[in-house]
C-alpha cells in the first residue's frame, strides 16, 4: 500500500513538472523548466539524534537494571504542489551497554519493565538492528482541510505517540483535520500501528496484548493476545479555545471491542491581581461493543458488563515563574478503565511519569504538581507528589495488574540550548514510588512497581 502512495505522488509531481511545457517557447524550454529531481531538492530534510540512559533501582536484593541507548534518524518532507505533499522518516537504535536488562530476577522470576522498551521487547537478542521506517504518507491540503493517508504520528488524550523511550508510536490509516480560527476537528480511521518498544508494524487486532496483559476479572491470566477480532480504530475529536477557555471532546471506537468517550474543559482567569488561576474538569466513560472482542469470556478484552467511568479535576495558580496545581482522579467500581497500552498513554490531570491508571477501577489519586521556569534561560523544572489508592491487589475485577496503593514522587529538569546548539535538549527525570503498606507486600508485588527508583538522562537533538 505504502509503495503505491509514493508511486502516486511521484507521478503527480512529474505531471506538474512536464505540464510546464504549455505556452513556453521551444527555444527556451530547456533553460526554465526544472527537472523532477530539482523540484524534490526543494523539500526539507530533518535530522534527529538521541541518547537515553535509564536505570531502575529496586529495594533489597531484587535486581537493579541500567542501559544506554543511542540512535539517529532522518525525515524528508517534499515541497507542496497544488496541495499535495509526501513525507517519510526512519530511525535506527543501538544498545551501547546494558546491565541485567535481559535476565529474570532470581528471587521473583520477574523480567525487566522499563529499560527493555528502549529496544525491541519481542527480540531480546536484537541490540544493533533496531531500525524501522516510521512516517510514510501522502497529504493533501485545501484551505483549512488537511487529509493524510499512510503512516503518521498522532497526539490525542488517550491515543498518542507516548514518546518517552527511543521511538514513539506511529499509526497507519486515513486522517482528516479541519482547522478554524478557534476550533479544530480531527477524525481518523486506523488499521495498523508501530508500537513503542518494538520494530514491527501490527494490525489493529494484532496490537492487543503486545505488552504484558495482566489478569481478567476472574483472576485468570488474560488470554486476549491473538484472540481479538477487530477491523480497526476510529476516532473523532473536537478542540476549542477562546479567551482563556479551552475545551475538547474525543470519541474512540475500537470496532467490535469497545467505545470510550473523553471530555475536558479548562479555564484560566485572574481576579485583577498578578496571579492567574486555572481550573479544569475531565471525564471519560467506556462500554463494550458486542462481546468485547471475542465471544469467549476468557479470551475477550473487555466484558460486556464492564462500564468504567472516571472524573478528574484540577485547581491551579500561576504566579510569575511558578505554577502549582492540585489534581484529582477518581474511577468508579463498575468496571476497569481499559485502553490498550500499545496505543498510547492516558493524559490525565493526575498523571505522573512511569505509571498509569489504565487497568484500574474503584481507585482515587490526589497529585500535587509544581512547575518552575527558572531564572536560567532555557531551564525548566517540574515536580510532582501523589497519593494513589488502588482497590485490593487481588480484586482483579477492578485491578487488572494487581498494583498496590503507593506514593509517587517525580522530579524533572529540562534544558533547551540556544544559539549554536539550538535544537539540543537535555532532560533529567527521577522517579520514586513507595508502597503505602510495604510490610504487607511480597517481593513479587514490589519489583519494578514500588519501593523503587527510576533514573533517566536523555539527550535529544533535532535539526
Amino acid at each position: 500500500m505504502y509503495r503505491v502512495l509514493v508511486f502516486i505522488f511521484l507521478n503527480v509531481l512529474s505531471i506538474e513538472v512536464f505540464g510546464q511545457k504549455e505556452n513556453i517557447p521551444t527555444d527556451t524550454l530547456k533553460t526554465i523548466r526544472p527537472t523532477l529531481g530539482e523540484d524534490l531538492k526543494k523539500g526539507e530534510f530533518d535530522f534527529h539524534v538521541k541518547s537515553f540512559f535509564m536505570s531502575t533501582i529496586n529495594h533489597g536484593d531484587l535486581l537493579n537494571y541500567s542501559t544506554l541507548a543511542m540512535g539517529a534518524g532522518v525525515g524528508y518532507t517534499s515541497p507542496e504542489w497544488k496541495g499535495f505533499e509526501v513525507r517519510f522518516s526512519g530511525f535506527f537504535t543501538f544498545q551501547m551497554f546494558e546491565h541485567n536488562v535481559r535476565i529474570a530476577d532470581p528471587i521473583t522470576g520477574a523480567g525487566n519493565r522499563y529499560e527493555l522498551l528502549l529496544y525491541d521487547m519481542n527480540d531480546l537478542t536484537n541490540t544493533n538492528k533496531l531500525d524501522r521506517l516510521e512516517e510514510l504518507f501522502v497529504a493533501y491540503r485545501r484551505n483549512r482541510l488537511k487529509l493524510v493517508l499512510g503512516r503518521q504520528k498522532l497526539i490525542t488524550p488517550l491515543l498518542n505517540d507516548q514518546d518517552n523511550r527511543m521511538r514513539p508510536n506511529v499509526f497507519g490509516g486515513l486522517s482528516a483535520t479541519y482547522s478554524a480560527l478557534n476550533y479544530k476537528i480531527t477524525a481518523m480511521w486506523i488499521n495498523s500501528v508501530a508500537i513503542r518498544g518494538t520494530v514491527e508494524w501490527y494490525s489493529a487486532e494484532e496490537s492487543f496484548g503486545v505488552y504484558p496483559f495482566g489478569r481478567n476479572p476472574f483472576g485468570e491470566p488474560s488470554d486476549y493476545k491473538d484472540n481479538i477480532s477487530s477491523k480497526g480504530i476510529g476516532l473523532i475529536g473536537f478542540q476549542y479555545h477562546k479567551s482563556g477557555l479551552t475545551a475538547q471532546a474525543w470519541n474512540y471506537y475500537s470496532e467490535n471491542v469497545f467505545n470510550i468517550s473523553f471530555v475536558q474543559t479548562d479555564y484560566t482567569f485572574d481576579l485583577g491581581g498578578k496571579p492567574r488561576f486555572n481550573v479544569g474538569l475531565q471525564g471519560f466513560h467506556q462500554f463494550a461493543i458486542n462481546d468485547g472482542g471475542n465471544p469467549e469470556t476468557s479470551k475477550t478484552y473487555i466484558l460486556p458488563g464492564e462500564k468504567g467511568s472516571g472524573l478528574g479535576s484540577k485547581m491551579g495558580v500561576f504566579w510569575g515563574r511558578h505554577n502549582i496545581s492540585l489534581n484529582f482522579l477518581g474511577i468508579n467500581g463498575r468496571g476497569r478503565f481499559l485502553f490498550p497500552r500499545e496505543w498510547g498513554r492516558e493524559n490525565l490531570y493526575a498523571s505522573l511519569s512511569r505509571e498509569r491508571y489504565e487497568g484500574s477501577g474503584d481507585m482515587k489519586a490526589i497529585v500535587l504538581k509544581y512547575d518552575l521556569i527558572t531564572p536560567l534561560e532555557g531551564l525548566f523544572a517540574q515536580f510532582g507528589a501523589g497519593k494513589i489508592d488502588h482497590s485490593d491487589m487481588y480484586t482483579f475485577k477492578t485491578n487488572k495488574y494487581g498494583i498496590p496503593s503507593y506514593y509517587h514522587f517525580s522530579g524533572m529538569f529540562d534544558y533547551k540550548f540556544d544559539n549554536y546548539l539550538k535544537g539540543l535538549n537535555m532532560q533529567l527525570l527521577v522517579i520514586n514510588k513507595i508502597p503505602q503498606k510495604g510490610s504487607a507486600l511480597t517481593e513479587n508485588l514490589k519489583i519494578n512497581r514500588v519501593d523503587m527508583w527510576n533514573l533517566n538522562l536523555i539527550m535529544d537533538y533535532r535539526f
Side-chain angles (χ1 to χ4, degrees):
M1 170 183 172
Y2 300 105
R3 293 178 180 175
V4 173
L5 294 178
V6 176
F7 178 78
I8 291 173
F9 176 81
L10 293 177
N11 274 274
V12 169
L13 186 57
S14 64
I15 290 173
E16 187 271 342
V17 171
F18 291 111
Q20 295 179 24
K21 289 183 178 181
E22 296 181 6
N23 301 320
I24 299 177
T26 303
D27 58 350
T28 62
L29 182 61
K30 291 183 179 181
T31 61
I32 65 173
R33 188 190 70 190
T35 66
L36 174 59
E38 290 171 337
D39 270 347
L40 292 176
K41 287 179 181 179
K42 297 175 184 177
E44 293 186 3
F45 283 92
D46 52 272
F47 301 89
H48 185 195
V49 180
K50 188 173 187 177
S51 71
F52 202 129
F53 171 80
M54 182 186 290
S55 178
T56 300
I57 303 171
N58 284 298
H59 176 75
D61 294 327
L62 298 175
L63 275 188
N64 300 323
Y65 310 93
S66 60
T67 190
L68 174 64
M70 298 192 70
V74 62
Y76 170 79
T77 305
S78 73
E80 188 173 300
W81 172 73
K82 293 189 177 180
F84 287 96
E85 69 177 13
V86 65
R87 174 170 171 80
F88 65 84
S89 66
F91 199 93
F92 65 86
T93 301
F94 285 94
Q95 174 188 286
M96 305 306 291
F97 84 88
E98 65 88 20
H99 177 64
N100 292 337
V101 171
R102 292 175 174 81
I103 65 175
D105 175 69
I107 297 176
T108 65
N112 180 265
R113 179 182 181 187
Y114 294 110
E115 288 78 4
L116 192 58
L117 291 179
L118 292 171
Y119 308 112
D120 183 4
M121 59 175 290
N122 294 322
D123 185 358
L124 302 185
T125 66
N126 189 359
T127 62
N128 57 14
K129 296 180 180 178
L130 298 156
D131 55 89
R132 71 181 188 186
L133 178 66
E134 296 187 340
E135 293 171 293
L136 178 59
F137 62 76
V138 172
Y140 174 72
R141 187 192 310 272
R142 184 176 177 84
N143 298 326
R144 298 181 181 271
L145 177 66
K146 183 177 182 180
L147 303 175
V148 181
L149 176 63
R151 299 175 174 179
Q152 55 197 281
K153 295 179 181 178
L154 182 67
I155 298 178
T156 77
L158 301 183
L159 188 146
N160 47 59
D161 57 3
Q162 58 178 346
D163 190 9
N164 55 11
R165 294 299 194 276
M166 287 298 288
R167 302 313 305 143
N169 290 347
V170 186
F171 302 93
L174 174 63
S175 68
T177 304
Y178 182 84
S179 301
L181 182 62
N182 296 319
Y183 68 89
K184 180 167 74 171
I185 300 173
T186 303
M188 185 172 183
W189 178 258
I190 298 168
N191 57 19
S192 62
V193 55
I195 301 169
R196 181 199 66 171
T198 70
V199 297
E200 303 293 335
W201 279 82
Y202 300 83
S203 67
E205 61 183 12
E206 291 171 342
S207 66
F208 285 88
V210 173
Y211 288 168
F213 32 84
R215 293 180 176 268
N216 63 27
F218 310 111
E220 305 162 341
S222 296
D223 192 26
Y224 55 78
K225 180 178 173 61
D226 298 325
N227 289 314
I228 297 299
S229 175
S230 178
K231 294 182 175 65
I233 311 158
L235 69 87
I236 186 168
F238 176 81
Q239 297 165 279
Y240 174 83
H241 60 89
K242 187 176 183 180
S243 302
L245 175 67
T246 63
Q248 56 181 320
W250 297 84
N251 191 78
Y252 305 87
Y253 171 75
S254 177
E255 193 273 332
N256 193 48
V257 185
F258 68 84
N259 189 90
I260 185 167
S261 300
F262 175 92
V263 295
Q264 176 176 320
T265 182
D266 298 89
Y267 184 58
T268 301
F269 61 96
D270 62 61
L271 299 177
K274 197 169 185 179
R276 292 178 298 138
F277 300 91
N278 176 257
V279 294
L281 285 174
Q282 60 185 190
F284 59 84
H285 177 68
Q286 180 178 37
F287 57 87
I289 301 293
N290 299 325
D291 296 310
N294 192 303
E296 296 184 45
T297 56
S298 63
K299 297 180 179 180
T300 196
Y301 180 72
I302 177 173
L303 294 179
E306 291 191 270
K307 296 182 179 180
S309 298
L311 179 66
S313 62
K314 177 176 74 171
M315 296 183 296
V317 57
F318 300 90
W319 186 293
R321 298 176 178 271
H322 310 275
N323 176 22
I324 187 169
S325 65
L326 184 64
N327 305 269
F328 170 80
L329 172 66
I331 302 178
N332 70 7
R334 298 182 59 193
R336 303 162 296 172
F337 161 44
L338 297 175
F339 196 87
R341 297 189 173 196
E342 295 85 354
W343 299 354
R345 171 186 170 83
E346 69 268 12
N347 184 17
L348 304 175
Y349 294 138
S351 294
L352 288 172
S353 297
R354 299 296 180 261
E355 198 53 87
R356 312 191 196 197
Y357 301 117
E358 188 276 327
S360 303
D362 189 21
M363 64 81 61
K364 294 180 178 64
I366 299 177
V367 176
L368 182 68
K369 295 183 179 181
Y370 172 62
D371 300 342
L372 172 65
I373 301 174
T374 71
L376 178 60
E377 186 174 354
L379 180 61
F380 173 78
Q382 184 178 74
F383 305 94
K387 181 177 183 290
I388 290 80
D389 297 321
H390 281 285
S391 59
D392 186 83
M393 295 173 292
Y394 299 101
T395 305
F396 294 104
K397 66 179 181 180
T398 53
N399 197 336
K400 177 178 179 179
Y401 303 101
I403 302 293
S405 297
Y406 61 95
Y407 301 103
H408 195 160
F409 304 94
S410 70
M412 186 269 288
F413 291 90
D414 187 277
Y415 184 71
K416 290 180 170 58
F417 290 78
D418 202 356
N419 299 321
Y420 185 70
L421 293 177
K422 186 175 182 179
L424 176 61
N425 186 67
M426 296 288 293
Q427 184 181 103
L428 172 66
L429 174 66
V430 179
I431 302 295
N432 179 224
K433 290 188 287 183
I434 303 173
Q436 293 187 23
K437 298 178 180 179
S439 60
L441 300 180
T442 65
E443 302 287 54
N444 295 71
L445 294 172
K446 290 183 179 180
I447 187 169
N448 297 325
R449 296 181 174 193
V450 292
D451 253 356
M452 55 152 292
W453 291 82
N454 182 259
L455 313 175
N456 308 262
L457 182 60
I458 306 151
M459 184 278 291
D460 208 5
Y461 187 30
R462 298 174 186 267
F463 58 98

